[in-house]
Amino acid sequence: MSRAPVGCWGRRRCTATSLHVALSLAIAVACSTSRFRLSRSPASTSVQQVISDFDMTLTRFACNGKRCPTSHNIIDTSFLISDECKKKLKELLNTYYPIEIDPSRTVAEKYPLMVEWWTKAHELLIEQKIQKEQLAQAVKESDMMLRDGYRVFMDKLYENNIPLFIFSAGIGDVLEEIIRQAGVFHPNIKVFSNYMDFDENGVLRGFKGELIHTYNKNDGALRNIEYFQQLKGRTNVILLGDSMGDLGMANGVPNVENLLKIGFLNDKVFPANPVPPFVFWLFSFQGRDAQI
């Protein structure tokens, strides 16, 4: 498939899934149009912010044809849970994941089923009495991989004082540990996700706050209004995601003047119409991140 012209405004597919390439793409597109004034100058970066999904957006979908785990999958396949629990979680995955990515179903149809999936999965994890102190080892032993270019991407955002808001339906404790072990958990990063609730002995007893799943991410800004009010001068937003549920992650962000949406296609298959409303769709070949 031919590459899309970098300097055009519209929905295109591009053969690049490296994070630093995605950011460069966003800058190139933005600088080529009067709709979104963006550059690397200090004055310009002061009005920018990035909102991103985590699993299969900042992390790899696959490597050499093998699926990479999500933050949930890291626990689902680890020593932290029993074989019986792993079997039940796998059954849930096989039942609900095809529904999550089914292009023929509406969000309204998927929404209650995603709540059902996440709730059942979390209940199974609670039954396992997972120890907080063992999470780091589970992450270390996993096959999780951040997407190519992650260090340049995150370091550049930090160096230019550009906030990165990670909005994830995964498990926040695991997500933070992934970033921490990669050495890129910079002060400009804020994570909003499903966090585990541990008792005084460090044993999992539940999950904190309202459940976050793939299709209720459209009010995240309203649930983090204090954070985004502090950034109300940052009117240029780059949004990164991999699903239709990620499209609304910037809903409610105050004073947005320009919003550039970039999606990672991964294993999604869409009908010819309607075209998914990301500005660019980035995809990989056989699980390997391609380069421009």
Side-chain angles (χ1 to χ4, degrees), residues 80 129-138 173 177 180 196-199 201-204 208:
L80 296 173
K129 301 188 183 300
I130 293 170
Q131 297 280 341
K132 182 178 182 179
E133 63 181 15
Q134 295 181 320
L135 288 179
Q137 187 62 30
D173 310 79
E177 187 60 33
R180 187 176 296 111
M196 293 176 158
D197 183 23
F198 297 94
D199 65 19
N201 296 314
V203 177
L204 179 63
K208 301 175 182 177

Side-chain angles (χ1 to χ4, degrees), residues 137-239:
Q137 187 62 30
V139 170
K140 185 176 181 180
E141 294 179 2
S142 74
D143 294 326
M144 195 289 314
M145 299 175 66
L146 287 169
R147 199 175 285 274
D148 290 352
Y150 76 88
R151 187 171 299 280
V152 174
F153 173 77
M154 292 184 170
D155 285 354
K156 286 298 182 183
L157 292 180
Y158 176 55
E159 291 167 9
N160 288 281
N161 194 33
I162 298 175
L164 171 59
F165 183 79
I166 298 176
F167 191 1
S168 173
I171 298 179
D173 310 79
V174 176
L175 187 165
E176 288 192 5
E177 187 60 33
I178 291 168
I179 304 173
R180 187 176 296 111
Q181 291 188 17
V184 290
F185 201 168
H186 300 310
N188 66 314
I189 295 175
K190 177 176 174 60
V191 178
F192 184 57
S193 186
N194 296 301
Y195 280 90
M196 293 176 158
D197 183 23
F198 297 94
D199 65 19
E200 62 277 6
N201 296 314
V203 177
L204 179 63
R205 63 183 178 187
F207 282 80
K208 301 175 182 177
E210 184 178 348
L211 176 69
I212 303 171
H213 59 80
T214 306
Y215 292 106
N216 72 339
K217 299 171 78 172
N218 58 350
D219 64 348
L222 298 177
R223 286 187 271 173
N224 291 269
I225 193 65
E226 183 176 343
Y227 168 83
F228 284 107
Q229 282 292 344
Q230 294 173 0
L231 304 179
K232 62 183 179 181
R234 295 181 178 271
T235 56
N236 290 347
V237 179
I238 297 173
L239 185 149

Side-chain angles (χ1 to χ4, degrees), residues 5-276:
V6 173
C8 68
W9 187 269
R11 299 182 182 107
R12 297 289 187 269
R13 291 186 180 184
C14 179
T15 56
T17 53
S18 165
L19 279 171
H20 76 273
V21 172
L23 185 60
S24 297
L25 173 65
I27 291 172
V29 172
C31 288
S32 71
T33 174
S34 61
R35 290 178 60 183
F36 197 121
R37 293 301 183 187
L38 178 64
S39 73
R40 292 185 176 90
S41 69
S44 178
T45 57
S46 67
V47 297
Q48 299 168 24
Q49 60 176 302
V50 177
I51 300 174
S52 180
D53 173 49
F54 186 75
D55 289 314
M56 298 185 285
T57 296
L58 297 184
T59 66
R60 291 281 295 269
F61 171 75
C63 181
N64 296 326
K66 180 182 178 183
R67 282 289 303 270
C68 294
T70 65
S71 54
H72 270 107
N73 297 151
I74 287 175
I75 293 180
D76 296 353
T77 58
S78 74
F79 64 88
L80 296 173
I81 63 175
S82 67
D83 289 341
E84 180 63 23
C85 183
K86 290 177 183 177
K87 179 182 177 181
K88 291 179 180 179
L89 288 168
K90 182 67 172 177
E91 290 172 352
L92 291 177
L93 176 68
N94 292 339
T95 299
Y96 291 101
Y97 183 66
I99 297 173
E100 178 186 351
I101 65 172
D102 185 351
S104 68
R105 291 177 182 252
T106 66
V107 171
E109 290 176 304
K110 295 179 180 183
Y111 191 106
L113 296 172
M114 295 302 101
V115 172
E116 193 174 279
W117 180 13
W118 260 254
T119 301
K120 289 179 179 179
H122 285 180
E123 288 174 350
L124 287 171
L125 295 181
I126 294 168
E127 291 175 0
Q128 297 299 297
K129 301 188 183 300
I130 293 170
Q131 297 280 341
K132 182 178 182 179
E133 63 181 15
Q134 295 181 320
L135 288 179
Q137 187 62 30
V139 170
K140 185 176 181 180
E141 294 179 2
S142 74
D143 294 326
M144 195 289 314
M145 299 175 66
L146 287 169
R147 199 175 285 274
D148 290 352
Y150 76 88
R151 187 171 299 280
V152 174
F153 173 77
M154 292 184 170
D155 285 354
K156 286 298 182 183
L157 292 180
Y158 176 55
E159 291 167 9
N160 288 281
N161 194 33
I162 298 175
L164 171 59
F165 183 79
I166 298 176
F167 191 1
S168 173
I171 298 179
D173 310 79
V174 176
L175 187 165
E176 288 192 5
E177 187 60 33
I178 291 168
I179 304 173
R180 187 176 296 111
Q181 291 188 17
V184 290
F185 201 168
H186 300 310
N188 66 314
I189 295 175
K190 177 176 174 60
V191 178
F192 184 57
S193 186
N194 296 301
Y195 280 90
M196 293 176 158
D197 183 23
F198 297 94
D199 65 19
E200 62 277 6
N201 296 314
V203 177
L204 179 63
R205 63 183 178 187
F207 282 80
K208 301 175 182 177
E210 184 178 348
L211 176 69
I212 303 171
H213 59 80
T214 306
Y215 292 106
N216 72 339
K217 299 171 78 172
N218 58 350
D219 64 348
L222 298 177
R223 286 187 271 173
N224 291 269
I225 193 65
E226 183 176 343
Y227 168 83
F228 284 107
Q229 282 292 344
Q230 294 173 0
L231 304 179
K232 62 183 179 181
R234 295 181 178 271
T235 56
N236 290 347
V237 179
I238 297 173
L239 185 149
L240 303 175
D242 76 301
S243 76
M244 300 299 283
D246 294 332
L247 286 166
M249 291 191 297
N251 290 358
V253 175
N255 301 335
V256 173
E257 294 180 0
N258 304 289
L259 175 60
L260 181 62
K261 300 177 181 181
I262 296 178
F264 293 86
L265 189 59
N266 296 325
D267 62 342
K268 310 298 186 303
V269 178
F270 295 99
N273 289 299
V275 178

